Amino acid sequence: MNFASDNIAGAAPEIMAALLRANEGSAVSYGGDEITARLKTRFSTFFERDVDVYPVVTGTAANALALAAIAPPYGAVLCHELSHIHLDECGAPEMFSGGTKLLALGGADAKLDPAAVQAVLDAYPAGVVHHVQPAALSLTQSTELGTVYSLAEIGRLSELARARGLKLHMDGARFANALVHLGVTPAEATWKAGIDIMSFGATKNGALAAEAVVVFDPEIARDLSFRRKRAGHLLSKMRFVSAQLEAYLDEGLWRRLATHANAMTARLAEGLAAAGIVLSVHPQANEVFPRLPAATIARLREAGAIFHPWPMAGDSKDARTVRLVTSFQTTEEEISRFLAVLGC
Amino acid sequence: MNFASDNIAGAAPEIMAALLRANEGSAVSYGGDEITARLKTRFSTFFERDVDVYPVVTGTAANALALAAIAPPYGAVLCHELSHIHLDECGAPEMFSGGTKLLALGGADAKLDPAAVQAVLDAYPAGVVHHVQPAALSLTQSTELGTVYSLAEIGRLSELARARGLKLHMDGARFANALVHLGVTPAEATWKAGIDIMSFGATKNGALAAEAVVVFDPEIARDLSFRRKRAGHLLSKMRFVSAQLEAYLDEGLWRRLATHANAMTARLAEGLAAAGIVLSVHPQANEVFPRLPAATIARLREAGAIFHPWPMAGDSKDARTVRLVTSFQTTEEEISRFLAVLGC
Amino acid sequence: MNFASDNIAGAAPEIMAALLRANEGSAVSYGGDEITARLKTRFSTFFERDVDVYPVVTGTAANALALAAIAPPYGAVLCHELSHIHLDECGAPEMFSGGTKLLALGGADAKLDPAAVQAVLDAYPAGVVHHVQPAALSLTQSTELGTVYSLAEIGRLSELARARGLKLHMDGARFANALVHLGVTPAEATWKAGIDIMSFGATKNGALAAEAVVVFDPEIARDLSFRRKRAGHLLSKMRFVSAQLEAYLDEGLWRRLATHANAMTARLAEGLAAAGIVLSVHPQANEVFPRLPAATIARLREAGAIFHPWPMAGDSKDARTVRLVTSFQTTEEEISRFLAVLGC
Amino acid sequence: MNFASDNIAGAAPEIMAALLRANEGSAVSYGGDEITARLKTRFSTFFERDVDVYPVVTGTAANALALAAIAPPYGAVLCHELSHIHLDECGAPEMFSGGTKLLALGGADAKLDPAAVQAVLDAYPAGVVHHVQPAALSLTQSTELGTVYSLAEIGRLSELARARGLKLHMDGARFANALVHLGVTPAEATWKAGIDIMSFGATKNGALAAEAVVVFDPEIARDLSFRRKRAGHLLSKMRFVSAQLEAYLDEGLWRRLATHANAMTARLAEGLAAAGIVLSVHPQANEVFPRLPAATIARLREAGAIFHPWPMAGDSKDARTVRLVTSFQTTEEEISRFLAVLGC
């Protein structure tokens, strides 16, 4: 009953099998191998458009590289105050970009509020030398609270951003979970909605360590290969990362895994609701945030459940919000045991 | 017959087996897992001293993190002009440190010449505000030319460095190959000779992607955990990197693999010498640099041999130096075939 | 009637005279001159403590250097959301520090709210590798809204900061105006209240271009000389900056000039109040923020008054807040003319 | 008899007069003033071309800003090993650019050797991700050894640079001295010879503190205003820097001052030669490097002469090279006294 995160899971068997296959024979190093060569086509097919793909091993690296490629050092990136890039990367975007400022905004359900975005754009007029210059907007899909932007919501943000010449970045550490929820194509969920560059995550959804910066408009990020190398993220035996990504796209593995993870969260949410527990946010992907009585939390922990507290407005000493994350490895049996402790 | 590099090899079976074992069950993410927890003890035993260990996935990351931890932005790192940190990392040390300058020096056999080191120290007096301040000296063991510093040579450099308060860094991407050649203990080869911090390499010698910054004096690098995180090098499923390192140290795997790689180079060198080929550098680890007649190069390539040209002083149109690297995977049969083409 | 800022003024005659005197004869360059040598003693006397002084030519440089000296690249600086370092320096602190994050907090009257400070400290626990590490707190004295922190207020912030090991920085671009308002000694207003390092401003109060980083605990900023040089802020003819600072401290020039500037604002505020104008903030130094009817604004501009709009909560289409800044050069006649337009 | 540097001089009377004039009345701050507005036209006339001008107060700032504007963080700047940017700016170019590497080359008389430039370009092929990417070439005019590049020499370097897409930067801290020596127009000496951007120096030749980045192709450096601001080099009372530059260009002041400085060096050189002293470099601007017997050095110092040792190949214990710099303030009487001590 480990709901601490989706990255406490190991790797999916299909990914491990791909690793073992990739280990046969020798291969050109630093991404000159055949598996890596195939990725561009695989991702271009996946996204129905010619894209560039830069595999890396962490979401932090993907995010920081993508943002450094689209925002100058004197620039600013608009993001949500709960975003991973702002809160949980120990300043990686600032390091990779040479000091670009993240302007953290509010917004319900961990989603950027268009009005807040417009207010910041108004407060930082173009060309005023005293202010950092808004250069990019970054949104997380699915969000840090397990919610999912609708295509219309992304479109609205894209419109505001584009009107000021900003580029749009998507932190897709849990992109598969969002896709499954939305039921749209990868193309519709990204560049057709206005996304210029994304961090494509696979690690949380079944890979060992595999993410990729995907660039929809190659013009905007011509220098990513140099930036990746100098960040120490060009692996000499790159085939082992590429093989994970290839297997992840193969035969819809990403979809099967994410569908399962989302379903487990849905089941949890259902059970929690049935037990009369308040959900602090409406779950749409693979995370649910119930507000639990202190006694319940204690009972769950005693029973072996693992999860993190997640303080939210509305919490009291007697009832606190916690975060429960499900993954491709979560079993129905774990869910049942968890709900059983709740008395469902 | 692929002698292009030791990183064209895959992973050793023992490493792969460790990966598969590490995949069982869930584990605390971001290095909070049990395998990672064991590493500190394993490396401390290996080095006969209490050390700190920061696993990463590339040698470039290990080098850049280690140097950023011991040299301030206004500092300078003395290194050889052929060193990987200076030539082959696209400015990673400069990025991680915020602009520290690498002062690249000459020296035979890719080894730092103590006289050149002293000359630079004299040219950059302490406290003169116009100059960058020498803060660290970095040496590569084994070197980029497959030579190995003797303990006395390291000791001499350490003495010079210490007299000016510089820290000593060792780029140990091929540390195992050097250890096997020297026949000394890891402790003797490092901190007992004056090394403060090292990049401990496993990738070139059998891992998929596993290196570590090893700190012999934990005081000097208290902030490495933050620096690693913000460089995007703290993997969420860190157990998969740690498992490789653990297996690498286990039952002397590192030694077996490096012994084989070195032996293959020795065999190559012997055969080349027997064929009357000039070796541009005396091989001591797993690289050999023969100067080959143009016709021989063509014949070898035709036979399927893969290797890189390595221009050196003394080369002519008719005879050019090439680099041949052997690895744990190189077979005696490959060597024999290669030498057979040479007519041995 | 130019109330746009205090930096639209030129230099005080005493400062100009000092410049002319400093121009006699030759002098050792890069701060090796006699005037610069005297500064350490002059400032130590002024602050009743042995301090280090690093003259520069802009407040932005002073702020960015001071913060880079006390906050690591993976660190965070707590500051007010209206602070100059956050809003008006185009990312200078981030550039000088190599990416340190500014955490911008709210607080009435442009003053940091201790509760908000504590909340951020709680949200960024020490040692959690995912978060930037709070390293410094920066407050502006007098503030960007012309208010002045009381010694008790600074003391409270200092207490919170110190409990977590943070250093305290004061942006003293208008320090003289605050001192005059507080009526305390420079020592009481700074290190005795817990300030570790400050940006000491003279430009806005009568110098051409002269600020200084003043370090109260020299241990904390041993490397400032290198940081200043590498930021291009070590002037070769440094005597010309030092001469301004010397003259500024001489015979209380700073006090005379600031007393006048504050008095002019007091007079303005009095007249505005008499005219029934709402002041959006209670003025304590040399800035006043009246909310003026649109028609009045138009009439003032027509009469030649120069000032900037300063949007504030409570403004409407009919009445908007503007900022009026007085300086050592503002004349009573200008005030009278301005008030006359208002119909006073 | 102070020949330590040209920056030990104060400011020329014409510059001081301009400062005093600039102090009249109030002015828009941060470069919005009328004097600054005139600079673009003044410099465009001076250079017979539409240029952009960014005044700053140090040569280090001008150099670092100019290079950051034309070289990316993963780029490299080719420069001479004696260049100020490499040796004497404590890493400012690396700081401003976010880690761009300076590749320091040899070359007689402190001039870049085209063969060495070509060798580096060959060693760093375009697009190879492991290497930093050559992006700019920087030359100093007049050089750190008081020599002057001919137009043909600059043209040859420009040709090599352009063939690889590099931009050309000129460090013109002593540009006036070079212009006077060459006897060509400012246009011929710069953009007509291939220079894209320059650091235009006035401080060493009569200003208090006034330099400018001059951009010949405004396209290449659109972001300089933001870079300058964030480096703390946008002065609030910018009119005082601009006034110096205006006066410097006015009625050929720059030429009169530099002509005098050069003439004083010529006179020194003549006298030294007459006394049988070896000049280590042939003087062309305002610096001369005689190799003096130890006894002579002692005698000169005793007589009050001030100068710096300048170790050069060929020096011995008995005879060492020193640097003598003359400025607009150097008097014939000083020269005569100096030569008299030599026994001329």
Side-chain angles (χ1 to χ4, degrees):
Chain A
M1 291 195 293
N2 191 335
F3 301 107
S5 182
D6 32 12
N7 56 29
I8 57 95
E14 294 88 342
I15 300 281
M16 270 301 185
L19 263 196
L20 289 170
R21 277 198 309 278
N23 195 27
E24 286 158 23
S26 61
V28 180
S29 49
Y30 296 113
D33 64 277
E34 289 171 21
I35 304 175
T36 304
R38 289 196 297 262
L39 280 188
K40 189 178 161 63
T41 306
R42 298 300 293 256
F43 274 83
S44 294
T45 303
F46 183 75
F47 281 111
E48 304 172 52
R49 179 188 176 129
D50 192 39
V51 302
D52 276 356
V53 189
Y54 299 86
V56 293
V57 293
T58 66
T60 296
N63 285 336
L65 283 170
L67 294 175
I70 58 175
Y74 51 84
V77 175
L78 279 60
C79 61
H80 196 277
E81 61 191 6
L82 292 179
S83 65
H84 202 265
I85 59 171
H86 179 59
L87 271 191
D88 292 308
E89 302 188 348
C90 199
E94 289 89 344
M95 174 188 172
F96 280 55
S97 63
T100 301
K101 196 186 262 290
L102 301 195
L103 296 175
L105 316 181
D109 297 338
K111 294 183 191 175
L112 282 165
D113 172 11
V117 166
Q118 190 58 54
V120 166
L121 293 178
D122 292 345
Y124 289 80
V128 174
V129 80
H130 305 284
H131 307 325
V132 289
Q133 299 292 300
L137 183 151
S138 175
L139 55 88
T140 311
Q141 182 77 313
S142 61
T143 75
E144 285 77 9
L145 291 182
T147 56
V148 176
Y149 283 93
S150 70
L151 298 194
E153 285 171 331
I154 299 179
R156 177 75 188 114
L157 291 171
S158 164
E159 211 174 287
L160 292 179
R162 234 150 266 280
R164 263 290 288 280
L166 276 65
K167 297 295 177 195
L168 231 71
H169 168 253
M170 177 182 279
D171 176 352
R174 294 188 179 98
F175 179 56
N177 305 94
L179 267 185
V180 163
H181 171 79
L182 288 171
V184 300
T185 66
E188 286 164 347
T190 55
W191 61 272
K192 287 187 176 173
I195 304 298
D196 296 292
I197 192 167
M198 84 175 291
S199 305
F200 180 94
T203 308
K204 288 179 193 292
N205 191 34
L208 274 86
E211 313 272 316
V213 181
V214 176
V215 192
F216 296 110
D217 177 0
E219 277 306 315
I220 69 169
R222 289 224 161 285
D223 58 3
L224 260 169
S225 59
F226 300 111
R227 291 189 181 275
R228 179 177 58 174
K229 170 70 190 183
R230 109 192 209 93
H233 283 285
L234 178 65
L235 272 66
S236 59
K237 300 181 179 177
M238 184 59 94
R239 54 171 150 163
F240 290 115
V241 183
S242 301
Q244 297 178 60
L245 290 169
E246 191 174 49
Y248 186 70
L249 291 190
D250 219 28
E251 296 180 19
L253 176 62
W254 64 272
R255 188 193 307 270
R256 266 183 292 132
L257 300 178
T259 300
H260 176 81
N262 285 12
M264 290 301 99
T265 277
R267 199 168 176 125
L268 253 182
E270 221 172 287
L272 289 160
I277 303 285
V278 173
L279 301 188
S280 295
V281 194
H282 179 66
Q284 298 177 296
N286 66 323
E287 301 178 87
V288 59
F289 296 78
R291 180 172 299 133
L292 299 174
T296 308
I297 292 178
R299 216 161 60 239
L300 284 164
R301 294 209 193 281
E302 219 164 287
I306 302 173
F307 50 84
H308 291 302
W310 206 270
M312 281 206 189
D315 286 3
S316 66
K317 243 175 55 179
D318 298 331
R320 283 157 44 200
T321 303
V322 305
R323 183 181 77 155
L324 306 176
V325 193
T326 57
S327 80
F328 76 98
Q329 273 187 342
T330 305
T331 61
E332 301 205 9
E333 187 269 335
E334 282 179 289
I335 305 286
S336 302
R337 271 204 289 148
F338 187 92
L339 293 175
V341 180
L342 286 176
C344 311
Chain B
M1 290 196 294
N2 192 333
F3 301 108
S5 182
D6 31 13
N7 56 28
I8 56 96
E14 294 88 342
I15 299 282
M16 271 300 186
L19 265 196
L20 290 170
R21 277 196 309 277
N23 195 27
E24 286 159 23
S26 61
V28 181
S29 50
Y30 295 113
D33 64 277
E34 289 171 20
I35 305 175
T36 304
R38 289 197 297 263
L39 279 188
K40 189 178 160 65
T41 306
R42 299 301 292 257
F43 273 84
S44 294
T45 303
F46 183 75
F47 281 111
E48 304 172 52
R49 179 188 177 128
D50 192 38
V51 302
D52 277 355
V53 190
Y54 299 88
V56 292
V57 293
T58 66
T60 295
N63 286 336
L65 283 170
L67 294 174
I70 57 175
Y74 51 84
V77 175
L78 280 60
C79 62
H80 196 277
E81 61 190 6
L82 293 179
S83 65
H84 202 264
I85 57 171
H86 179 59
L87 271 190
D88 293 308
E89 302 187 349
C90 199
E94 289 88 345
M95 173 187 172
F96 281 55
S97 63
T100 302
K101 197 186 258 292
L102 301 195
L103 296 174
L105 316 180
D109 297 338
K111 294 183 190 174
L112 282 165
D113 172 11
V117 167
Q118 190 57 55
V120 166
L121 293 177
D122 292 345
Y124 288 81
V128 173
V129 81
H130 305 283
H131 307 324
V132 288
Q133 299 291 301
L137 183 151
S138 175
L139 56 87
T140 311
Q141 181 77 314
S142 61
T143 75
E144 285 77 9
L145 292 182
T147 57
V148 176
Y149 283 93
S150 70
L151 298 193
E153 285 170 331
I154 299 178
R156 177 74 188 113
L157 291 171
S158 165
E159 211 174 287
L160 292 179
R162 235 150 265 280
R164 263 292 287 280
L166 275 66
K167 297 296 176 194
L168 232 72
H169 168 253
M170 176 181 279
D171 176 353
R174 294 188 178 96
F175 180 55
N177 304 95
L179 268 185
V180 163
H181 171 79
L182 288 171
V184 302
T185 67
E188 286 164 347
T190 56
W191 61 272
K192 287 188 176 173
I195 303 298
D196 296 292
I197 192 168
M198 84 176 291
S199 305
F200 179 94
T203 309
K204 288 178 193 293
N205 191 35
L208 272 87
E211 314 271 316
V213 180
V214 176
V215 191
F216 297 109
D217 177 0
E219 277 305 315
I220 68 169
R222 289 224 162 284
D223 58 4
L224 260 169
S225 59
F226 301 110
R227 292 189 180 275
R228 180 177 57 172
K229 171 70 192 182
R230 110 190 207 94
H233 283 286
L234 179 65
L235 272 67
S236 58
K237 300 183 178 176
M238 184 58 94
R239 54 171 150 163
F240 291 115
V241 183
S242 301
Q244 297 178 60
L245 290 168
E246 190 173 51
Y248 187 69
L249 291 190
D250 218 28
E251 297 181 18
L253 176 62
W254 64 272
R255 188 194 306 273
R256 266 184 292 131
L257 300 178
T259 300
H260 177 81
N262 284 11
M264 290 300 99
T265 277
R267 198 165 175 128
L268 253 182
E270 221 173 287
L272 288 161
I277 303 286
V278 173
L279 301 187
S280 295
V281 194
H282 178 66
Q284 296 177 299
N286 65 325
E287 300 177 89
V288 58
F289 295 78
R291 180 173 300 134
L292 298 175
T296 307
I297 292 178
R299 217 160 60 239
L300 284 164
R301 293 210 193 279
E302 218 164 289
I306 302 174
F307 50 83
H308 290 303
W310 207 270
M312 281 205 190
D315 285 2
S316 67
K317 244 175 54 179
D318 298 332
R320 283 157 44 201
T321 302
V322 304
R323 183 180 78 154
L324 306 176
V325 192
T326 58
S327 80
F328 77 98
Q329 272 187 341
T330 305
T331 61
E332 301 207 8
E333 187 268 336
E334 282 179 289
I335 305 287
S336 302
R337 271 203 289 147
F338 187 94
L339 294 174
V341 180
L342 285 176
C344 310
Chain C
M1 291 196 294
N2 192 334
F3 300 108
S5 182
D6 32 12
N7 56 29
I8 56 96
E14 295 87 342
I15 300 282
M16 271 301 186
L19 264 196
L20 291 169
R21 277 197 309 278
N23 195 27
E24 286 158 24
S26 61
V28 180
S29 49
Y30 295 113
D33 63 278
E34 288 171 22
I35 304 175
T36 304
R38 289 196 298 261
L39 279 188
K40 190 178 159 63
T41 306
R42 299 299 292 257
F43 273 84
S44 294
T45 302
F46 182 75
F47 281 110
E48 303 173 54
R49 179 188 178 128
D50 192 39
V51 302
D52 277 355
V53 189
Y54 299 87
V56 292
V57 292
T58 67
T60 295
N63 285 336
L65 283 170
L67 294 174
I70 57 175
Y74 51 85
V77 175
L78 280 60
C79 61
H80 196 278
E81 60 190 7
L82 292 179
S83 65
H84 203 264
I85 57 171
H86 179 59
L87 273 190
D88 293 307
E89 302 188 347
C90 199
E94 289 89 345
M95 174 187 172
F96 281 55
S97 63
T100 301
K101 196 185 260 292
L102 301 196
L103 296 174
L105 316 181
D109 297 338
K111 294 184 190 175
L112 282 165
D113 171 10
V117 167
Q118 190 57 54
V120 166
L121 293 177
D122 291 345
Y124 289 81
V128 174
V129 80
H130 305 284
H131 307 325
V132 289
Q133 299 292 300
L137 183 152
S138 175
L139 57 87
T140 311
Q141 183 77 313
S142 62
T143 76
E144 285 78 9
L145 291 183
T147 57
V148 176
Y149 283 92
S150 71
L151 297 194
E153 286 171 328
I154 299 179
R156 178 73 187 115
L157 291 171
S158 165
E159 212 173 287
L160 292 179
R162 233 151 267 280
R164 263 291 287 280
L166 275 66
K167 298 295 177 194
L168 232 73
H169 167 252
M170 176 181 279
D171 176 352
R174 294 188 179 97
F175 180 56
N177 304 95
L179 268 185
V180 162
H181 171 79
L182 288 171
V184 302
T185 67
E188 287 164 347
T190 56
W191 62 272
K192 286 188 176 173
I195 304 297
D196 297 292
I197 192 167
M198 84 176 291
S199 305
F200 179 94
T203 310
K204 288 179 193 293
N205 191 34
L208 273 87
E211 313 274 314
V213 181
V214 176
V215 192
F216 296 111
D217 177 0
E219 277 306 316
I220 67 167
R222 290 226 160 282
D223 58 3
L224 260 169
S225 59
F226 300 111
R227 292 188 181 275
R228 179 177 59 174
K229 170 70 192 183
R230 110 190 208 92
H233 282 286
L234 179 65
L235 273 66
S236 58
K237 300 182 178 175
M238 184 59 93
R239 55 171 150 163
F240 290 115
V241 183
S242 302
Q244 296 177 61
L245 290 168
E246 191 173 51
Y248 186 70
L249 292 190
D250 219 28
E251 297 181 18
L253 175 63
W254 64 271
R255 188 194 306 272
R256 267 184 290 131
L257 300 178
T259 300
H260 176 81
N262 285 11
M264 290 300 99
T265 276
R267 199 167 177 127
L268 253 182
E270 223 172 286
L272 289 160
I277 303 286
V278 173
L279 302 188
S280 295
V281 195
H282 179 65
Q284 297 178 297
N286 64 323
E287 300 177 88
V288 60
F289 295 79
R291 181 172 300 135
L292 299 175
T296 308
I297 292 178
R299 216 161 61 239
L300 284 164
R301 293 210 194 281
E302 218 164 288
I306 302 175
F307 50 83
H308 291 302
W310 205 269
M312 281 206 191
D315 284 4
S316 66
K317 243 175 56 178
D318 298 332
R320 284 157 43 202
T321 303
V322 304
R323 184 180 77 155
L324 307 177
V325 193
T326 58
S327 80
F328 76 98
Q329 273 188 341
T330 305
T331 61
E332 301 205 9
E333 187 268 337
E334 283 179 289
I335 305 287
S336 303
R337 271 203 288 146
F338 187 93
L339 293 175
V341 180
L342 285 176
C344 312
Chain D
M1 291 197 295
N2 192 334
F3 300 107
S5 182
D6 32 12
N7 56 29
I8 57 95
E14 294 87 343
I15 300 281
M16 272 300 187
L19 264 196
L20 290 169
R21 277 197 310 277
N23 195 28
E24 287 159 22
S26 61
V28 181
S29 49
Y30 296 114
D33 63 278
E34 289 171 20
I35 305 175
T36 304
R38 289 197 297 262
L39 279 188
K40 189 177 160 65
T41 306
R42 300 300 293 258
F43 273 84
S44 294
T45 304
F46 183 74
F47 280 111
E48 304 172 53
R49 178 188 178 129
D50 191 38
V51 301
D52 276 355
V53 189
Y54 299 87
V56 292
V57 293
T58 67
T60 295
N63 285 335
L65 283 170
L67 294 174
I70 57 175
Y74 51 84
V77 175
L78 280 61
C79 62
H80 196 277
E81 61 190 5
L82 293 178
S83 65
H84 202 265
I85 58 171
H86 179 59
L87 272 189
D88 293 307
E89 302 187 348
C90 199
E94 288 90 344
M95 173 186 172
F96 281 54
S97 63
T100 301
K101 197 185 258 293
L102 302 195
L103 296 174
L105 316 180
D109 297 338
K111 294 184 191 175
L112 281 166
D113 173 10
V117 167
Q118 189 57 56
V120 166
L121 292 178
D122 291 344
Y124 288 81
V128 174
V129 81
H130 305 283
H131 307 324
V132 288
Q133 299 292 301
L137 183 152
S138 175
L139 57 86
T140 312
Q141 182 77 313
S142 61
T143 76
E144 285 78 9
L145 291 183
T147 57
V148 176
Y149 283 93
S150 70
L151 298 193
E153 285 170 330
I154 299 179
R156 176 77 188 111
L157 291 171
S158 166
E159 211 174 287
L160 293 179
R162 234 150 266 279
R164 264 290 288 280
L166 276 65
K167 298 294 177 197
L168 231 72
H169 168 252
M170 177 182 278
D171 176 353
R174 293 187 179 98
F175 180 56
N177 305 95
L179 267 186
V180 163
H181 171 79
L182 288 171
V184 301
T185 67
E188 286 164 347
T190 56
W191 62 273
K192 287 189 176 172
I195 304 298
D196 296 292
I197 193 169
M198 84 176 290
S199 305
F200 180 93
T203 310
K204 289 179 192 293
N205 192 34
L208 273 86
E211 314 272 315
V213 180
V214 177
V215 192
F216 297 110
D217 177 1
E219 276 306 315
I220 68 168
R222 289 225 162 282
D223 58 4
L224 260 168
S225 59
F226 301 109
R227 293 188 180 275
R228 179 177 59 174
K229 170 69 193 183
R230 111 190 208 95
H233 282 285
L234 178 65
L235 273 66
S236 58
K237 300 183 178 175
M238 183 59 93
R239 55 172 149 163
F240 291 115
V241 183
S242 301
Q244 296 177 62
L245 290 168
E246 189 173 53
Y248 186 69
L249 292 189
D250 219 27
E251 296 180 19
L253 175 62
W254 64 272
R255 189 194 306 274
R256 266 183 291 129
L257 300 178
T259 301
H260 177 81
N262 285 11
M264 290 299 100
T265 276
R267 197 165 177 129
L268 252 182
E270 221 173 286
L272 288 160
I277 303 287
V278 172
L279 301 188
S280 295
V281 194
H282 178 65
Q284 297 178 297
N286 65 323
E287 301 177 88
V288 58
F289 294 79
R291 180 172 299 133
L292 298 174
T296 307
I297 291 177
R299 216 161 60 239
L300 284 163
R301 293 209 193 279
E302 217 163 290
I306 302 175
F307 50 83
H308 291 303
W310 207 270
M312 281 205 189
D315 284 4
S316 66
K317 243 175 55 179
D318 298 331
R320 283 157 44 201
T321 303
V322 304
R323 183 181 78 155
L324 306 176
V325 192
T326 58
S327 80
F328 77 97
Q329 273 187 341
T330 305
T331 60
E332 301 206 9
E333 186 268 335
E334 282 179 289
I335 305 287
S336 302
R337 269 203 290 146
F338 187 93
L339 294 174
V341 180
L342 285 177
C344 311

